[in-house]
Amino acid sequence: MRGFLNVGATEWQYTHGVPETHLNRVSPDAWMLDQAYLDRPGNQEIQLDLFYDYRTNVDLYPDFQEFFRTFQPPTLIVWGENDQIFPTEGATPYLRDLPDAELHLIDAGHFILESHGPEVAAAIRTFLSENLSN
């Protein structure tokens, strides 16, 4: 897992799956700043602990799913179609418990706000205007 903590992997997370037409929106400053934080002394061990801890998230899914089924909160799901860290197959299962959720699959990668910020902001504004009471 240490290989995921180098600058090449960090850049990949920002740029992989981003369509050529949107790559110019992704500033190298973004992954270089992330990398600077990742490279702080002792941080690799913290990140590795976090990676290892992800395995415990699955045990919490039934609680999340029960909450969704019971309370049916208005939900907006915006997902990068080309995200290989959280693949598209992870987005659609939310609709089983939240059938009225609004799902937007966008031609983007993992850091969708970097490449598609205006599009995501527009979806959020529309969702909020349709789902917030005055």
Side-chain angles (χ1 to χ4, degrees), residues 55-115:
R55 66 188 166 75
T56 64
N57 291 354
V58 175
D59 293 339
L60 299 173
Y61 287 8
D63 293 335
F64 298 148
Q65 292 159 340
E66 179 60 31
F67 174 85
F68 293 150
R69 280 191 301 275
T70 301
F71 295 102
Q72 294 295 302
T75 304
L76 172 66
I77 304 165
V78 181
W79 209 282
E81 282 183 309
N82 311 316
D83 186 346
Q84 291 196 352
I85 296 170
F86 296 111
T88 304
E89 295 80 18
T92 54
Y94 285 100
L95 299 176
R96 285 189 302 241
D97 299 314
L98 296 163
D100 295 326
E102 187 176 315
L103 173 61
H104 295 261
L105 297 175
I106 295 178
D107 185 15
H110 183 63
F111 285 105
I112 192 170
L113 290 176
E114 297 291 329
S115 62

Side-chain angles (χ1 to χ4, degrees), residues 4-62:
F4 288 107
L5 301 173
N6 67 49
V7 70
T10 304
E11 178 183 358
W12 178 89
Q13 289 179 53
Y14 276 87
T15 60
H16 184 80
V18 176
E20 192 69 36
T21 57
H22 286 65
L23 270 175
N24 64 330
R25 292 183 177 183
V26 183
S27 172
D29 294 344
W31 69 78
M32 293 305 293
L33 180 60
D34 273 4
Q35 194 62 47
Y37 287 122
L38 287 170
D39 289 343
R40 290 176 299 167
N43 193 47
Q44 282 203 357
E45 285 65 35
I46 292 168
Q47 296 303 313
L48 293 171
D49 286 346
L50 181 62
F51 289 156
Y52 184 68
D53 193 52
Y54 283 157
R55 66 188 166 75
T56 64
N57 291 354
V58 175
D59 293 339
L60 299 173
Y61 287 8

